[in-house]
Amino acid sequence: MSLLLIFEQLLNGLQFGVMLFLIAAGLTLVLGIMNMVNLAHGSLYMVGAFVCAWVSLQTGSFLLGLVAALPATALVGILVELLVLRRLYDRDHLDQVLATFGLILFFNEGVKIVFGARPLRLDLPGWLSGAVEILPGAPYPAFRLAIIAVGLLVGLFLFWLVTKTRLGMLIRAGASNREMVQALGVDIAKLYTLVFGLGAVLAALGGVMAGPIYAVEVGMGEPILIMVFVVIVIGGIGSIRGAFVGALLVGFTFMLCRAFLPGLFGLFLDPAGAAAVGGALASMAIYILMAGVLIARPRGLFPAQG
């Protein structure tokens, strides 16, 4: 086990963590402010990836795909909030789960109709397709470094937005006591729409960042959504800081365990057994981490309320 390999996996964990943060940040605001369990958030991640891939294929420009994906997904998210989710705010969580699960099916079939059932290819721009030698003998893909940079910049922007602006003040207040915010004369419906639109943009950005690394295919939002919920539970519902810390913890845990647990078990098991046991435990590691955090802090590391 070389230091260069450990360093590479740490960078992989950071890259995966900031990508999870892009998706989790919007969803934790929706959960914290609206008290809305939105299982269809991963579908917005999928829509962003598909719009970017389709526009990129038509124009040959990744940047044009990015520019098209963000407002298109924001518009889709706002329409979903206005037409569907607004009717669910006063319903219990079971109704919200069933309705947003129906939205997942609707989005999956809608994407098939609009873009086709086959996966789309999202090629990297030439200036991001190479590698950067961070340390001697340790080249790292430039696009993954770009994901890290974008995620950190988005994190700084959200920190500024939530802590230094009037909108951020309303978001924090809404996460703590939305009834009082409404009683003070704030148009809570407009605030909900803005927050949901912001969450849709962040989900789309996560989909665009993931598209060149993973397959842009129908249903790609569901597997990532499970990890995003783990991130939110670890960090604390409604907390941007919690989403960031939780995403990094999940990213590092997932990547390091997947890289090194099979080799660790290979010290005393045959190769096939080590791969099976190590792979299984690596898949379980983030849930073990979540259980440990909840035992110590049942409301998450940085809960927004109370």
Side-chain angles (χ1 to χ4, degrees):
M1 185 185 301
S2 68
L3 292 178
L4 290 179
L5 178 59
I6 296 174
F7 178 71
E8 181 181 0
Q9 294 306 319
L10 286 173
L11 284 177
N12 286 340
L14 180 59
Q15 173 261 307
F16 188 60
V18 297
M19 192 179 71
L20 288 175
F21 168 70
L22 291 174
I23 310 167
L27 184 56
T28 195
L29 290 177
V30 170
L31 278 169
I33 296 177
M34 305 177 185
N35 196 27
M36 162 65 68
V37 181
N38 179 25
L39 297 185
H41 193 73
S43 297
L44 298 174
Y45 161 88
M46 175 183 67
V47 168
F50 265 94
V51 172
C52 181
W54 185 83
V55 173
S56 297
L57 287 173
Q58 301 304 312
T59 63
S61 172
F62 176 84
L63 289 179
L64 284 178
L66 172 63
V67 170
L70 300 188
T73 309
L75 179 60
V76 170
I78 289 172
L79 288 175
V80 167
E81 194 275 335
L82 292 174
L83 298 177
V84 180
L85 300 185
R86 185 164 290 188
R87 293 165 171 77
L88 299 172
Y89 293 145
D90 296 327
R91 307 288 289 270
D92 61 32
H93 286 164
L94 178 59
D95 291 339
Q96 295 171 0
V97 167
L98 292 174
T100 53
F101 179 75
L103 284 175
I104 292 175
L105 303 179
F106 173 83
F107 273 113
N108 285 345
E109 293 304 315
V111 165
K112 287 181 183 178
I113 293 171
V114 175
F115 298 105
R118 299 179 63 182
L120 297 183
R121 185 182 75 254
L122 182 52
D123 293 328
L124 290 174
W127 49 278
L128 284 178
S129 59
V132 177
E133 192 166 350
I134 302 175
L135 293 177
Y140 195 74
F143 184 71
R144 290 181 181 265
L145 290 176
I147 293 175
I148 294 172
V150 168
L152 294 178
L153 288 174
V154 169
L156 290 174
F157 167 75
L158 289 176
F159 176 79
W160 170 81
L161 178 70
V162 171
T163 61
K164 304 296 182 182
T165 67
R166 172 176 167 77
L167 176 60
M169 178 188 68
L170 295 176
I171 289 174
R172 297 197 312 273
S176 299
N177 193 327
R178 60 176 177 168
E179 290 80 10
M180 182 60 71
V181 172
Q182 190 169 11
L184 291 173
V186 175
D187 188 343
I188 200 73
K190 186 179 294 184
L191 178 64
Y192 282 4
T193 303
L194 286 173
V195 169
F196 200 86
L198 175 61
V201 169
L202 294 174
L205 184 57
V208 171
M209 296 294 102
I213 300 176
Y214 309 105
V216 179
E217 60 186 354
V218 175
M220 64 183 289
E222 284 79 83
I224 199 72
L225 185 67
I226 297 173
M227 287 193 171
V228 169
F229 273 114
V230 172
V231 166
I232 293 173
V233 170
I234 290 174
I237 293 175
S239 171
I240 292 294
R241 177 176 58 165
F244 184 75
V245 174
L248 292 185
L249 287 174
V250 169
F252 286 131
T253 300
F254 180 76
M255 288 297 176
L256 292 175
C257 289
R258 190 178 70 168
F260 298 122
L261 278 183
L264 180 63
F265 282 98
L267 297 176
F268 47 87
L269 293 177
D270 61 273
V277 175
L281 285 178
S283 299
M284 296 167 54
I286 61 171
Y287 306 106
I288 297 172
L289 171 65
M290 180 179 69
V293 169
L294 291 179
I295 290 171
R297 296 181 65 88
R299 295 173 62 83
L301 295 175
F302 303 101
Q305 302 176 9

